[in-house]
Amino acid sequence: MPRYSINEPRFNQTLEELGHLGESPDGMDRVAYSPADIAGREYTVKLMREAGLETRIDTAGNIIGLRAGSDDSLSAIALGSHTDTVPKGGKYDGALGVMAAIEVVRTLQEQGHRTRHPVEVINFTNEEGTRFHRWLVGSRSMAGQLEQEDLDAVDDDGYGLGPCLADIGGNISRIGEAARNPGELAAYFELHIEQGPNLYQSGTPIGVVTGITGRAVFEVEIEGKANHAGTTPMSTRRDALVSASKLVLAIQKMAAEQEICRVSTVGSIKAIPNAVNVIPGNASIGLEFRDTDMEALAAAEQELRRITGQAAVNDGVDIEVNRHRFTSSVPIKPEMQALVAEAAVNCGLAWEPLPSGAGHDAQAVAAIAPVAMLFVPSVAGISHSPEEYSTPEDCANGAQVLLELLLLADDRL
Ligand SMILES: [Zn+2]
């Protein structure tokens, strides 16, 4: 039995209310720094204050609510996620973790339970990275992992980050002050929707996250020869788009058949000049590999370089492979996974271990604190879509386990 029960109707109502901010027939639109995002942040602060949290906004724009513990010598245990969304997104991605964290503190407050550790609820800013194409901006600021590119980034209209940060109470010239030292947080726990089909398909209410996936992103440029589509014989063509198409299929097979890595995706393709009567002289594809095992990502890159080398020889084209980004996977410590599993069992809920195929704030925070993540089912595995849905019961289960997890960690850490 869990020690205390969260207030399920109240909790689901907060999710509903937050879900009305930025809602449209096309889905949720609380892109970071937009008026709807700011409304969502104000709603979060209001709820935090009602839950007795002392709130502040750090220079990166993260909202931090603090509840004092009984032992001043202990570091805080933090619970959190994000309330920004992608355009045309859903009501649960990120929102669930923040609303659940607040409900957990509200429950403790009502029960008069003072934890030994201070408790922080954190609403990280700009997790999704939509506007400036730089993601996990709040959590990476806190982890001291911000790069110059993050500060220099401009949006599609050429506007910079500084004024946006000022709008939400941050300060770009002092953003370094948002960084915290290892040890300042005793642990960080994040509840999130799975954003994949595993729990929904197996009917398991709780997922214990084993690690957050690593990701390698590449751009492959193919140079052939543009020529007349009517007069150039088939045998003498150097068609860059044909070579690109063969690569698309080969890259799909790398995960689907060869199982070199967990998933492989070609998500973008360009043909130049992209005219129906011209043999494409140039083509490029954008692709990514994901796996929690970094060796698998290295093997995928090796295979990519092998097949592109071969395609260049076979098709008489020039191919250049550019590695754009390489995000390391973040394993979650076995003892932290065990704590989540124990919390689920205490709540009478079945659980299963699974990796996270998406990125989360927890992966940045892992640089400065032990982290754990738990998932609840996404109906049909859909997310980043207006159809994103998790049942009120599943959401409440997640919040309940988060509360029990906090209490277990407060005893043990
Ligand atoms: Zn999220």
Side-chain angles (χ1 to χ4, degrees):
M1 282 290 286
R3 274 173 267 188
Y4 308 118
S5 292
I6 61 142
N7 183 330
E8 187 172 331
R10 175 178 66 191
F11 163 60
N12 278 303
Q13 193 189 333
T14 62
L15 260 180
E16 271 300 306
E17 285 174 1
L18 179 60
H20 291 317
L21 303 173
E23 188 182 29
S24 84
D26 295 333
M28 289 308 302
D29 198 333
R30 269 199 318 269
V31 170
Y33 319 115
S34 67
D37 176 47
I38 291 171
R41 292 167 54 86
E42 284 167 355
Y43 180 69
T44 306
V45 169
K46 176 178 101 72
L47 290 183
M48 282 185 178
R49 292 195 174 138
E50 285 171 12
L53 290 157
E54 192 185 307
T55 62
R56 69 182 176 95
I57 293 173
D58 70 13
T59 53
N62 297 311
I63 300 169
I64 302 168
L66 174 69
R67 184 173 194 257
S70 61
D71 185 344
D72 288 344
S73 67
L74 295 174
S75 303
I77 297 173
L79 316 174
S81 196
H82 60 97
T83 56
D84 69 314
T85 70
V86 294
K88 301 190 170 93
K91 288 183 180 175
Y92 302 86
D93 176 356
L96 173 67
V98 177
M99 292 301 106
I102 294 171
E103 176 59 33
V104 163
V105 173
R106 266 181 155 179
T107 304
L108 292 179
Q109 188 195 30
E110 278 173 352
Q111 299 291 339
H113 182 109
R114 178 72 46 193
T115 51
R116 293 162 58 231
H117 296 74
V119 176
E120 285 187 16
V121 175
I122 307 178
N123 181 0
F124 288 107
T125 185
N126 195 3
E127 192 268 353
E128 300 285 5
T130 302
R131 180 156 169 197
F132 296 98
H133 312 292
R134 305 289 299 178
W135 73 319
L136 302 181
V137 172
S139 47
R140 287 191 297 115
S141 299
M142 193 175 285
Q145 293 179 332
L146 222 55
E147 295 160 13
Q148 194 57 42
E149 284 109 314
D150 296 307
L151 302 177
D152 296 342
V154 290
D155 66 12
D156 294 338
D157 298 319
Y159 290 103
L161 177 64
C164 288
L165 261 185
D167 284 348
I168 62 165
N171 184 339
I172 196 163
S173 60
R174 288 171 41 214
I175 198 165
E177 293 169 26
R180 300 173 80 171
N181 295 316
E184 258 185 71
L185 294 176
Y188 171 72
F189 301 136
E190 184 166 351
L191 164 65
H192 206 279
I193 55 168
E194 186 200 331
Q195 301 183 276
N198 296 293
L199 297 173
Y200 178 70
Q201 281 170 359
S202 66
T204 311
I206 298 294
V208 176
V209 178
T210 54
I212 300 169
T213 195
R215 178 176 180 232
V217 181
F218 299 87
E219 185 93 18
V220 175
E221 315 259 6
I222 302 146
E223 193 183 337
K225 179 101 183 114
N227 210 336
H228 197 289
T231 59
T232 314
M234 296 307 287
S235 60
T236 64
R237 295 183 177 200
R238 291 164 60 213
D239 185 328
L241 188 56
V242 168
S243 297
S245 307
K246 291 181 196 166
L247 288 173
V248 170
L249 297 177
I251 289 161
Q252 190 261 351
K253 286 197 180 96
M254 284 171 60
E257 290 176 19
Q258 297 166 271
E259 298 181 359
I260 295 172
C261 57
R262 190 176 56 83
V263 286
S264 57
T265 309
V266 178
S268 73
I269 187 161
K270 268 184 240 137
I272 298 169
N274 206 24
V276 73
N277 57 355
V278 184
I279 297 162
N282 290 76
S284 67
I285 53 175
L287 66 123
E288 59 157 57
F289 304 119
R290 294 196 195 204
D291 203 296
T292 45
D293 179 357
M294 297 308 281
E295 283 175 21
L297 290 185
E301 176 169 1
Q302 206 174 20
E303 176 68 2
L304 175 67
R305 293 188 185 278
R306 191 188 70 77
I307 61 173
T308 49
Q310 209 166 51
V313 173
N314 294 347
D315 299 347
V317 293
D318 292 319
I319 303 186
E320 201 180 300
V321 176
N322 300 304
R323 190 165 88 178
H324 273 319
R325 214 174 290 169
F326 204 87
T327 312
S328 295
S329 63
V330 175
I332 291 179
K333 292 191 171 80
E335 60 269 29
M336 297 301 272
Q337 295 180 41
L339 217 52
V340 181
E342 186 178 342
V345 170
N346 288 357
C347 295
L349 295 167
W351 61 275
E352 67 183 47
L354 81 175
S356 173
H360 297 290
D361 290 309
Q363 77 191 62
V365 181
I368 53 163
V371 302
M373 282 197 81
L374 59 149
F375 284 163
V376 295
S378 294
V379 170
I382 296 170
S383 81
H384 282 191
S385 155
E387 286 167 49
E388 175 182 292
Y389 183 65
S390 294
T391 67
E393 189 194 352
D394 282 335
C395 291
N397 284 338
Q400 187 64 57
V401 175
L402 186 68
L403 169 58
E404 187 63 19
L405 173 62
L406 170 64
L407 294 172
L408 284 176
D410 190 43
D411 289 342
R412 311 264 175 87
L413 299 179

